[in-house]
Amino acid sequence: MNTAKERLLKIIEEIPEKEVDKILDFAEYLKIKREKSLSEDLTKASESSLDFWDNDIDDEVWNDV
């Protein structure tokens, strides 16, 4: 059975070059969307860890350093 990538490559090989640009644009859009989602997830994770460090005990210790 053909994988989705194999089927996509077959379609790309069969269509005119000017149509390939449309597929490339869409693929790049999906890539950017995935990267943006990953970046947002990392930002959320780092923001949630800030609460751990934002406390009076650590502030008092670091103020004396």
Side-chain angles (χ1 to χ4, degrees):
M1 185 171 174
N2 290 340
T3 66
K5 283 185 180 182
E6 290 171 337
R7 292 189 339 249
L8 180 57
L9 289 172
K10 186 172 190 256
I11 290 170
I12 291 170
E13 289 174 3
E14 294 173 355
I15 63 174
E17 185 68 28
K18 64 182 177 182
E19 298 295 320
V20 174
D21 290 343
K22 294 176 184 175
I23 295 171
L24 180 60
D25 287 344
F26 184 67
E28 289 173 339
Y29 160 77
L30 292 176
K31 181 181 177 195
I32 290 169
K33 182 178 172 185
R34 184 183 69 241
E35 290 170 352
K36 182 180 176 189
S37 176
L38 176 60
S39 176
E40 288 173 354
D41 290 346
L42 291 173
T43 300
K44 287 178 186 175
S46 67
E47 287 173 352
S48 67
S49 67
L50 290 176
D51 292 336
F52 174 80
W53 296 105
D54 188 19
N55 61 68
D56 294 336
I57 295 170
D58 286 333
D59 287 347
E60 187 175 323
V61 171
W62 281 104
N63 286 338
D64 293 336
V65 174

Short mmCIF file of all heavy atoms in Angstrom, two decimals:
data_model
loop_
_atom_site.label_atom_id
_atom_site.label_comp_id
_atom_site.label_asym_id
_atom_site.label_seq_id
_atom_site.Cartn_x
_atom_site.Cartn_y
_atom_site.Cartn_z
N MET A 1 0.84 -1.19 0.00
CA MET A 1 0.00 0.00 0.00
C MET A 1 0.88 1.25 0.00
O MET A 1 1.88 1.32 0.70
CB MET A 1 -0.90 -0.01 1.23
CG MET A 1 -1.87 1.11 1.26
SD MET A 1 -3.04 0.85 2.61
CE MET A 1 -3.89 2.36 2.52
N ASN A 2 0.51 2.21 -0.80
CA ASN A 2 1.27 3.45 -0.90
C ASN A 2 1.02 4.33 0.32
O ASN A 2 -0.11 4.48 0.77
CB ASN A 2 0.90 4.23 -2.16
CG ASN A 2 1.39 3.55 -3.41
OD1 ASN A 2 2.29 2.72 -3.37
ND2 ASN A 2 0.80 3.90 -4.53
N THR A 3 2.09 4.94 0.79
CA THR A 3 1.93 5.90 1.88
C THR A 3 1.41 7.21 1.30
O THR A 3 1.44 7.43 0.08
CB THR A 3 3.26 6.16 2.60
OG1 THR A 3 4.15 6.80 1.69
CG2 THR A 3 3.88 4.87 3.11
N ALA A 4 0.96 8.08 2.16
CA ALA A 4 0.46 9.38 1.72
C ALA A 4 1.56 10.16 1.01
O ALA A 4 1.31 10.83 -0.01
CB ALA A 4 -0.10 10.16 2.90
N LYS A 5 2.80 10.08 1.51
CA LYS A 5 3.90 10.80 0.88
C LYS A 5 4.16 10.25 -0.53
O LYS A 5 4.42 11.02 -1.45
CB LYS A 5 5.17 10.69 1.72
CG LYS A 5 5.17 11.59 2.93
CD LYS A 5 6.50 11.53 3.64
CE LYS A 5 6.50 12.43 4.86
NZ LYS A 5 7.80 12.42 5.55
N GLU A 6 4.10 8.95 -0.67
CA GLU A 6 4.32 8.35 -2.00
C GLU A 6 3.23 8.79 -2.97
O GLU A 6 3.50 9.12 -4.12
CB GLU A 6 4.36 6.83 -1.89
CG GLU A 6 5.59 6.29 -1.20
CD GLU A 6 5.52 4.80 -0.91
OE1 GLU A 6 4.40 4.25 -0.83
OE2 GLU A 6 6.59 4.19 -0.78
N ARG A 7 1.99 8.81 -2.50
CA ARG A 7 0.88 9.24 -3.36
C ARG A 7 1.03 10.71 -3.74
O ARG A 7 0.79 11.09 -4.88
CB ARG A 7 -0.46 9.00 -2.66
CG ARG A 7 -0.77 7.53 -2.50
CD ARG A 7 -2.17 7.19 -2.01
NE ARG A 7 -2.90 8.21 -1.30
CZ ARG A 7 -3.20 8.18 0.00
NH1 ARG A 7 -2.83 7.16 0.74
NH2 ARG A 7 -3.90 9.14 0.55
N LEU A 8 1.44 11.53 -2.77
CA LEU A 8 1.64 12.95 -3.04
C LEU A 8 2.75 13.17 -4.07
O LEU A 8 2.61 13.97 -5.00
CB LEU A 8 1.94 13.71 -1.75
CG LEU A 8 2.18 15.21 -1.86
CD1 LEU A 8 0.98 15.90 -2.49
CD2 LEU A 8 2.49 15.81 -0.51
N LEU A 9 3.85 12.46 -3.92
CA LEU A 9 4.95 12.58 -4.87
C LEU A 9 4.51 12.17 -6.27
O LEU A 9 4.90 12.80 -7.27
CB LEU A 9 6.14 11.74 -4.42
CG LEU A 9 6.90 12.27 -3.20
CD1 LEU A 9 7.93 11.26 -2.72
CD2 LEU A 9 7.56 13.61 -3.51
N LYS A 10 3.69 11.14 -6.37
CA LYS A 10 3.18 10.70 -7.67
C LYS A 10 2.32 11.80 -8.30
O LYS A 10 2.44 12.10 -9.49
CB LYS A 10 2.37 9.42 -7.52
CG LYS A 10 1.93 8.82 -8.84
CD LYS A 10 1.30 7.47 -8.62
CE LYS A 10 1.10 6.79 -9.95
NZ LYS A 10 -0.22 6.76 -10.44
N ILE A 11 1.47 12.41 -7.50
CA ILE A 11 0.62 13.50 -8.01
C ILE A 11 1.49 14.67 -8.47
O ILE A 11 1.27 15.25 -9.54
CB ILE A 11 -0.38 13.95 -6.92
CG1 ILE A 11 -1.42 12.87 -6.69
CG2 ILE A 11 -1.05 15.27 -7.31
CD1 ILE A 11 -2.30 13.12 -5.48
N ILE A 12 2.49 15.01 -7.66
CA ILE A 12 3.37 16.13 -8.01
C ILE A 12 4.09 15.87 -9.33
O ILE A 12 4.24 16.77 -10.15
CB ILE A 12 4.38 16.39 -6.86
CG1 ILE A 12 3.65 16.95 -5.64
CG2 ILE A 12 5.48 17.35 -7.31
CD1 ILE A 12 4.50 17.02 -4.39
N GLU A 13 4.51 14.63 -9.54
CA GLU A 13 5.20 14.29 -10.79
C GLU A 13 4.27 14.40 -12.00
O GLU A 13 4.73 14.66 -13.11
CB GLU A 13 5.76 12.87 -10.70
CG GLU A 13 6.94 12.76 -9.76
CD GLU A 13 7.40 11.32 -9.57
OE1 GLU A 13 6.83 10.40 -10.21
OE2 GLU A 13 8.32 11.12 -8.77
N GLU A 14 2.99 14.25 -11.80
CA GLU A 14 2.03 14.22 -12.91
C GLU A 14 1.47 15.59 -13.29
O GLU A 14 0.91 15.74 -14.37
CB GLU A 14 0.87 13.27 -12.58
CG GLU A 14 1.29 11.82 -12.47
CD GLU A 14 0.18 10.92 -11.98
OE1 GLU A 14 -0.92 11.43 -11.62
OE2 GLU A 14 0.40 9.70 -11.94
N ILE A 15 1.59 16.58 -12.41
CA ILE A 15 0.96 17.86 -12.71
C ILE A 15 1.97 18.85 -13.30
O ILE A 15 3.17 18.70 -13.12
CB ILE A 15 0.29 18.47 -11.45
CG1 ILE A 15 1.32 18.77 -10.37
CG2 ILE A 15 -0.78 17.56 -10.91
CD1 ILE A 15 0.73 19.50 -9.19
N PRO A 16 1.48 19.86 -14.00
CA PRO A 16 2.37 20.87 -14.58
C PRO A 16 3.14 21.64 -13.50
O PRO A 16 2.66 21.79 -12.37
CB PRO A 16 1.42 21.81 -15.32
CG PRO A 16 0.14 21.08 -15.45
CD PRO A 16 0.08 20.09 -14.34
N GLU A 17 4.29 22.13 -13.88
CA GLU A 17 5.17 22.85 -12.95
C GLU A 17 4.46 24.01 -12.26
O GLU A 17 4.65 24.23 -11.06
CB GLU A 17 6.40 23.36 -13.70
CG GLU A 17 7.45 24.02 -12.82
CD GLU A 17 8.15 23.07 -11.87
OE1 GLU A 17 8.27 21.88 -12.18
OE2 GLU A 17 8.58 23.55 -10.80
N LYS A 18 3.62 24.75 -13.00
CA LYS A 18 2.96 25.91 -12.39
C LYS A 18 2.00 25.50 -11.27
O LYS A 18 1.72 26.27 -10.37
CB LYS A 18 2.25 26.75 -13.44
CG LYS A 18 1.12 26.04 -14.15
CD LYS A 18 0.51 26.92 -15.22
CE LYS A 18 -0.57 26.15 -15.95
NZ LYS A 18 -1.18 26.92 -17.00
N GLU A 19 1.49 24.28 -11.33
CA GLU A 19 0.61 23.78 -10.27
C GLU A 19 1.41 23.33 -9.05
O GLU A 19 0.91 23.35 -7.94
CB GLU A 19 -0.25 22.64 -10.80
CG GLU A 19 -1.16 23.03 -11.94
CD GLU A 19 -2.21 24.04 -11.52
OE1 GLU A 19 -2.76 23.93 -10.42
OE2 GLU A 19 -2.47 24.96 -12.32
N VAL A 20 2.65 22.92 -9.26
CA VAL A 20 3.51 22.48 -8.16
C VAL A 20 3.73 23.63 -7.17
O VAL A 20 3.80 23.42 -5.96
CB VAL A 20 4.85 21.93 -8.68
CG1 VAL A 20 5.80 21.60 -7.54
CG2 VAL A 20 4.62 20.69 -9.54
N ASP A 21 3.81 24.86 -7.69
CA ASP A 21 3.99 26.01 -6.81
C ASP A 21 2.87 26.12 -5.79
O ASP A 21 3.11 26.50 -4.64
CB ASP A 21 4.07 27.31 -7.63
CG ASP A 21 5.34 27.41 -8.45
OD1 ASP A 21 6.30 26.67 -8.15
OD2 ASP A 21 5.37 28.23 -9.38
N LYS A 22 1.66 25.79 -6.18
CA LYS A 22 0.53 25.86 -5.25
C LYS A 22 0.68 24.83 -4.14
O LYS A 22 0.41 25.10 -2.96
CB LYS A 22 -0.78 25.65 -6.00
CG LYS A 22 -1.10 26.75 -6.98
CD LYS A 22 -2.35 26.44 -7.76
CE LYS A 22 -2.60 27.52 -8.81
NZ LYS A 22 -3.74 27.20 -9.67
N ILE A 23 1.14 23.64 -4.50
CA ILE A 23 1.36 22.59 -3.51
C ILE A 23 2.49 23.01 -2.57
O ILE A 23 2.41 22.83 -1.35
CB ILE A 23 1.67 21.25 -4.19
CG1 ILE A 23 0.46 20.77 -4.98
CG2 ILE A 23 2.10 20.20 -3.17
CD1 ILE A 23 0.71 19.57 -5.85
N LEU A 24 3.55 23.58 -3.14
CA LEU A 24 4.67 24.04 -2.32
C LEU A 24 4.23 25.12 -1.35
O LEU A 24 4.60 25.09 -0.17
CB LEU A 24 5.79 24.56 -3.23
CG LEU A 24 7.03 25.10 -2.52
CD1 LEU A 24 7.67 24.02 -1.67
CD2 LEU A 24 8.01 25.64 -3.55
N ASP A 25 3.43 26.07 -1.81
CA ASP A 25 2.93 27.13 -0.93
C ASP A 25 2.14 26.53 0.24
O ASP A 25 2.32 26.93 1.39
CB ASP A 25 2.03 28.11 -1.70
CG ASP A 25 2.81 29.03 -2.62
OD1 ASP A 25 4.05 29.13 -2.46
OD2 ASP A 25 2.17 29.65 -3.49
N PHE A 26 1.29 25.57 -0.07
CA PHE A 26 0.48 24.96 0.98
C PHE A 26 1.35 24.17 1.95
O PHE A 26 1.16 24.23 3.17
CB PHE A 26 -0.61 24.07 0.38
CG PHE A 26 -1.53 23.49 1.41
CD1 PHE A 26 -2.40 24.31 2.11
CD2 PHE A 26 -1.53 22.13 1.68
CE1 PHE A 26 -3.25 23.79 3.08
CE2 PHE A 26 -2.38 21.60 2.64
CZ PHE A 26 -3.24 22.44 3.33
N ALA A 27 2.33 23.43 1.43
CA ALA A 27 3.23 22.66 2.29
C ALA A 27 4.03 23.58 3.21
O ALA A 27 4.20 23.28 4.40
CB ALA A 27 4.17 21.80 1.44
N GLU A 28 4.49 24.70 2.67
CA GLU A 28 5.22 25.67 3.49
C GLU A 28 4.32 26.28 4.55
O GLU A 28 4.74 26.52 5.68
CB GLU A 28 5.86 26.73 2.62
CG GLU A 28 7.02 26.20 1.81
CD GLU A 28 7.59 27.18 0.81
OE1 GLU A 28 6.88 28.14 0.42
OE2 GLU A 28 8.75 26.99 0.39
N TYR A 29 3.06 26.54 4.19
CA TYR A 29 2.08 27.05 5.17
C TYR A 29 1.93 26.06 6.32
O TYR A 29 1.94 26.44 7.49
CB TYR A 29 0.74 27.30 4.48
CG TYR A 29 -0.42 27.37 5.43
CD1 TYR A 29 -0.64 28.51 6.21
CD2 TYR A 29 -1.30 26.30 5.58
CE1 TYR A 29 -1.70 28.57 7.10
CE2 TYR A 29 -2.34 26.35 6.47
CZ TYR A 29 -2.55 27.48 7.23
OH TYR A 29 -3.58 27.53 8.12
N LEU A 30 1.78 24.77 5.99
CA LEU A 30 1.61 23.75 7.02
C LEU A 30 2.85 23.66 7.92
O LEU A 30 2.74 23.51 9.14
CB LEU A 30 1.32 22.39 6.39
CG LEU A 30 -0.02 22.25 5.70
CD1 LEU A 30 -0.13 20.88 5.04
CD2 LEU A 30 -1.18 22.47 6.66
N LYS A 31 4.02 23.78 7.31
CA LYS A 31 5.27 23.73 8.08
C LYS A 31 5.35 24.90 9.05
O LYS A 31 5.68 24.73 10.22
CB LYS A 31 6.47 23.75 7.13
CG LYS A 31 7.79 23.68 7.83
CD LYS A 31 8.94 23.73 6.86
CE LYS A 31 10.24 23.73 7.64
NZ LYS A 31 11.37 24.12 6.82
N ILE A 32 5.05 26.10 8.57
CA ILE A 32 5.10 27.29 9.42
C ILE A 32 4.07 27.19 10.54
O ILE A 32 4.35 27.53 11.69
CB ILE A 32 4.88 28.56 8.59
CG1 ILE A 32 6.09 28.81 7.69
CG2 ILE A 32 4.61 29.78 9.47
CD1 ILE A 32 5.88 29.88 6.62
N LYS A 33 2.90 26.68 10.21
CA LYS A 33 1.84 26.51 11.22
C LYS A 33 2.30 25.54 12.31
O LYS A 33 2.09 25.79 13.49
CB LYS A 33 0.58 25.99 10.53
CG LYS A 33 -0.60 25.82 11.44
CD LYS A 33 -1.81 25.34 10.65
CE LYS A 33 -2.94 24.99 11.59
NZ LYS A 33 -4.08 24.41 10.88
N ARG A 34 2.95 24.44 11.91
CA ARG A 34 3.43 23.46 12.88
C ARG A 34 4.53 24.07 13.76
O ARG A 34 4.53 23.90 14.97
CB ARG A 34 3.96 22.22 12.15
CG ARG A 34 4.39 21.11 13.10
CD ARG A 34 4.96 19.90 12.37
NE ARG A 34 6.25 20.26 11.79
CZ ARG A 34 6.55 20.22 10.50
NH1 ARG A 34 5.65 19.85 9.63
NH2 ARG A 34 7.74 20.55 10.07
N GLU A 35 5.46 24.81 13.13
CA GLU A 35 6.54 25.44 13.89
C GLU A 35 6.00 26.48 14.85
O GLU A 35 6.49 26.61 15.98
CB GLU A 35 7.56 26.05 12.93
CG GLU A 35 8.35 25.01 12.16
CD GLU A 35 9.19 25.59 11.04
OE1 GLU A 35 9.04 26.80 10.73
OE2 GLU A 35 9.98 24.84 10.46
N LYS A 36 5.00 27.23 14.42
CA LYS A 36 4.40 28.25 15.28
C LYS A 36 3.72 27.59 16.47
O LYS A 36 3.85 28.06 17.61
CB LYS A 36 3.38 29.09 14.49
CG LYS A 36 2.75 30.19 15.29
CD LYS A 36 1.76 30.99 14.46
CE LYS A 36 1.07 32.01 15.33
NZ LYS A 36 -0.03 32.67 14.66
N SER A 37 3.03 26.49 16.23
CA SER A 37 2.37 25.77 17.31
C SER A 37 3.39 25.25 18.31
O SER A 37 3.19 25.36 19.53
CB SER A 37 1.55 24.62 16.73
OG SER A 37 0.97 23.86 17.76
N LEU A 38 4.50 24.71 17.82
CA LEU A 38 5.56 24.22 18.70
C LEU A 38 6.13 25.36 19.51
O LEU A 38 6.33 25.23 20.72
CB LEU A 38 6.66 23.54 17.88
CG LEU A 38 7.88 23.07 18.66
CD1 LEU A 38 7.48 22.04 19.71
CD2 LEU A 38 8.91 22.49 17.72
N SER A 39 6.36 26.49 18.88
CA SER A 39 6.89 27.66 19.57
C SER A 39 5.93 28.14 20.66
O SER A 39 6.35 28.47 21.76
CB SER A 39 7.16 28.78 18.57
OG SER A 39 7.60 29.94 19.22
N GLU A 40 4.65 28.15 20.34
CA GLU A 40 3.65 28.56 21.33
C GLU A 40 3.61 27.59 22.50
O GLU A 40 3.49 28.00 23.66
CB GLU A 40 2.28 28.68 20.67
CG GLU A 40 2.15 29.87 19.75
CD GLU A 40 0.85 29.89 18.96
OE1 GLU A 40 0.08 28.91 19.03
OE2 GLU A 40 0.61 30.90 18.26
N ASP A 41 3.72 26.30 22.22
CA ASP A 41 3.74 25.30 23.29
C ASP A 41 4.94 25.49 24.20
O ASP A 41 4.83 25.40 25.42
CB ASP A 41 3.75 23.88 22.71
CG ASP A 41 2.45 23.50 22.05
OD1 ASP A 41 1.43 24.20 22.26
OD2 ASP A 41 2.43 22.48 21.32
N LEU A 42 6.11 25.77 23.61
CA LEU A 42 7.31 25.99 24.41
C LEU A 42 7.18 27.25 25.26
O LEU A 42 7.61 27.28 26.41
CB LEU A 42 8.54 26.07 23.50
CG LEU A 42 8.96 24.78 22.83
CD1 LEU A 42 10.08 25.05 21.82
CD2 LEU A 42 9.40 23.75 23.85
N THR A 43 6.58 28.28 24.68
CA THR A 43 6.37 29.52 25.43
C THR A 43 5.44 29.29 26.62
O THR A 43 5.72 29.73 27.74
CB THR A 43 5.80 30.62 24.51
OG1 THR A 43 6.72 30.86 23.45
CG2 THR A 43 5.55 31.91 25.28
N LYS A 44 4.35 28.57 26.38
CA LYS A 44 3.42 28.26 27.47
C LYS A 44 4.10 27.45 28.56
O LYS A 44 3.88 27.68 29.74
CB LYS A 44 2.20 27.52 26.93
CG LYS A 44 1.26 28.38 26.14
CD LYS A 44 0.10 27.57 25.59
CE LYS A 44 -0.76 28.40 24.67
NZ LYS A 44 -1.82 27.61 24.03
N ALA A 45 4.92 26.49 28.16
CA ALA A 45 5.61 25.65 29.14
C ALA A 45 6.58 26.49 29.97
O ALA A 45 6.66 26.33 31.20
CB ALA A 45 6.35 24.53 28.44
N SER A 46 7.30 27.39 29.32
CA SER A 46 8.25 28.22 30.07
C SER A 46 7.52 29.21 30.98
O SER A 46 7.97 29.48 32.08
CB SER A 46 9.20 28.95 29.13
OG SER A 46 8.52 29.90 28.35
N GLU A 47 6.38 29.71 30.52
CA GLU A 47 5.62 30.64 31.36
C GLU A 47 5.06 29.94 32.59
O GLU A 47 5.04 30.50 33.68
CB GLU A 47 4.49 31.27 30.56
CG GLU A 47 4.96 32.30 29.54
CD GLU A 47 3.86 32.80 28.64
OE1 GLU A 47 2.74 32.24 28.67
OE2 GLU A 47 4.12 33.74 27.87
N SER A 48 4.63 28.71 32.42
CA SER A 48 4.08 27.99 33.57
C SER A 48 5.15 27.69 34.60
O SER A 48 4.87 27.59 35.79
CB SER A 48 3.39 26.70 33.12
OG SER A 48 4.33 25.78 32.62
N SER A 49 6.41 27.55 34.17
CA SER A 49 7.47 27.28 35.13
C SER A 49 7.88 28.54 35.89
O SER A 49 8.51 28.45 36.94
CB SER A 49 8.68 26.66 34.44
OG SER A 49 9.29 27.59 33.58
N LEU A 50 7.52 29.71 35.39
CA LEU A 50 7.86 30.95 36.09
C LEU A 50 7.17 31.03 37.44
O LEU A 50 7.73 31.56 38.40
CB LEU A 50 7.48 32.16 35.23
CG LEU A 50 8.33 32.40 33.99
CD1 LEU A 50 7.76 33.58 33.20
CD2 LEU A 50 9.77 32.64 34.35
N ASP A 51 5.95 30.50 37.52
CA ASP A 51 5.23 30.53 38.79
C ASP A 51 5.98 29.78 39.88
O ASP A 51 5.95 30.15 41.05
CB ASP A 51 3.83 29.92 38.62
CG ASP A 51 2.93 30.78 37.75
OD1 ASP A 51 3.20 32.00 37.65
OD2 ASP A 51 1.98 30.23 37.18
N PHE A 52 6.69 28.72 39.49
CA PHE A 52 7.45 27.94 40.47
C PHE A 52 8.53 28.80 41.11
O PHE A 52 8.79 28.69 42.31
CB PHE A 52 8.07 26.71 39.78
CG PHE A 52 9.00 25.93 40.66
CD1 PHE A 52 8.49 25.05 41.60
CD2 PHE A 52 10.37 26.09 40.55
CE1 PHE A 52 9.34 24.34 42.41
CE2 PHE A 52 11.22 25.37 41.36
CZ PHE A 52 10.71 24.49 42.30
N TRP A 53 9.18 29.63 40.33
CA TRP A 53 10.30 30.43 40.83
C TRP A 53 9.86 31.75 41.45
O TRP A 53 10.63 32.40 42.16
CB TRP A 53 11.28 30.72 39.70
CG TRP A 53 11.92 29.47 39.18
CD1 TRP A 53 11.63 28.85 38.01
CD2 TRP A 53 12.89 28.67 39.84
NE1 TRP A 53 12.38 27.72 37.90
CE2 TRP A 53 13.17 27.58 39.01
CE3 TRP A 53 13.56 28.77 41.07
CZ2 TRP A 53 14.08 26.59 39.35
CZ3 TRP A 53 14.48 27.79 41.39
CH2 TRP A 53 14.73 26.72 40.54
N ASP A 54 8.64 32.16 41.19
CA ASP A 54 8.16 33.43 41.70
C ASP A 54 7.50 33.22 43.06
O ASP A 54 6.29 33.06 43.18
CB ASP A 54 7.17 34.06 40.71
CG ASP A 54 6.79 35.48 41.10
OD1 ASP A 54 7.53 36.10 41.88
OD2 ASP A 54 5.75 35.95 40.61
N ASN A 55 8.33 33.20 44.10
CA ASN A 55 7.79 33.00 45.45
C ASN A 55 8.65 33.80 46.44
O ASN A 55 9.80 34.14 46.17
CB ASN A 55 7.74 31.52 45.82
CG ASN A 55 9.10 30.87 45.81
OD1 ASN A 55 9.93 31.19 46.65
ND2 ASN A 55 9.34 29.98 44.84
N ASP A 56 8.09 34.08 47.58
CA ASP A 56 8.75 34.94 48.57
C ASP A 56 10.04 34.34 49.11
O ASP A 56 11.01 35.07 49.38
CB ASP A 56 7.78 35.24 49.72
CG ASP A 56 6.60 36.09 49.27
OD1 ASP A 56 6.74 36.79 48.25
OD2 ASP A 56 5.54 36.02 49.92
N ILE A 57 10.08 33.04 49.30
CA ILE A 57 11.27 32.40 49.87
C ILE A 57 12.46 32.57 48.93
O ILE A 57 13.54 32.99 49.36
CB ILE A 57 11.01 30.90 50.15
CG1 ILE A 57 9.94 30.77 51.23
CG2 ILE A 57 12.29 30.18 50.55
CD1 ILE A 57 9.43 29.35 51.43
N ASP A 58 12.28 32.23 47.65
CA ASP A 58 13.39 32.40 46.70
C ASP A 58 13.76 33.87 46.54
O ASP A 58 14.95 34.19 46.43
CB ASP A 58 13.03 31.80 45.34
CG ASP A 58 13.05 30.28 45.35
OD1 ASP A 58 13.79 29.71 46.17
OD2 ASP A 58 12.34 29.67 44.54
N ASP A 59 12.78 34.75 46.53
CA ASP A 59 13.08 36.16 46.40
C ASP A 59 13.96 36.63 47.55
O ASP A 59 14.93 37.37 47.35
CB ASP A 59 11.80 36.99 46.37
CG ASP A 59 11.04 36.85 45.07
OD1 ASP A 59 11.62 36.32 44.10
OD2 ASP A 59 9.87 37.24 45.02
N GLU A 60 13.67 36.19 48.78
CA GLU A 60 14.43 36.59 49.94
C GLU A 60 15.86 36.06 49.87
O GLU A 60 16.82 36.78 50.15
CB GLU A 60 13.75 36.07 51.21
CG GLU A 60 14.37 36.58 52.48
CD GLU A 60 13.58 36.13 53.70
OE1 GLU A 60 12.34 36.07 53.61
OE2 GLU A 60 14.21 35.84 54.72
N VAL A 61 16.00 34.81 49.44
CA VAL A 61 17.34 34.21 49.32
C VAL A 61 18.18 34.95 48.27
O VAL A 61 19.32 35.30 48.50
CB VAL A 61 17.24 32.71 48.99
CG1 VAL A 61 18.60 32.14 48.64
CG2 VAL A 61 16.61 31.95 50.14
N TRP A 62 17.60 35.21 47.12
CA TRP A 62 18.32 35.85 46.02
C TRP A 62 18.61 37.33 46.35
O TRP A 62 19.60 37.89 45.88
CB TRP A 62 17.57 35.74 44.71
CG TRP A 62 17.76 34.38 44.10
CD1 TRP A 62 16.86 33.37 44.07
CD2 TRP A 62 18.94 33.88 43.48
NE1 TRP A 62 17.39 32.27 43.45
CE2 TRP A 62 18.67 32.57 43.08
CE3 TRP A 62 20.19 34.42 43.21
CZ2 TRP A 62 19.61 31.78 42.43
CZ3 TRP A 62 21.13 33.64 42.56
CH2 TRP A 62 20.84 32.33 42.16
N ASN A 63 17.80 37.96 47.15
CA ASN A 63 18.06 39.34 47.52
C ASN A 63 19.33 39.45 48.38
O ASN A 63 19.98 40.49 48.39
CB ASN A 63 16.88 39.95 48.27
CG ASN A 63 15.70 40.24 47.38
OD1 ASN A 63 15.88 40.40 46.17
ND2 ASN A 63 14.52 40.28 47.94
N ASP A 64 19.65 38.37 49.08
CA ASP A 64 20.84 38.38 49.96
C ASP A 64 22.10 37.95 49.22
O ASP A 64 23.17 37.97 49.80
CB ASP A 64 20.61 37.46 51.17
CG ASP A 64 19.52 38.01 52.10
OD1 ASP A 64 19.30 39.23 52.08
OD2 ASP A 64 18.91 37.20 52.81
N VAL A 65 22.01 37.55 47.99
CA VAL A 65 23.19 37.08 47.26
C VAL A 65 24.03 38.22 46.80
O VAL A 65 23.65 39.26 46.43
CB VAL A 65 22.75 36.21 46.06
CG1 VAL A 65 23.97 35.85 45.20
CG2 VAL A 65 22.05 34.98 46.54
#
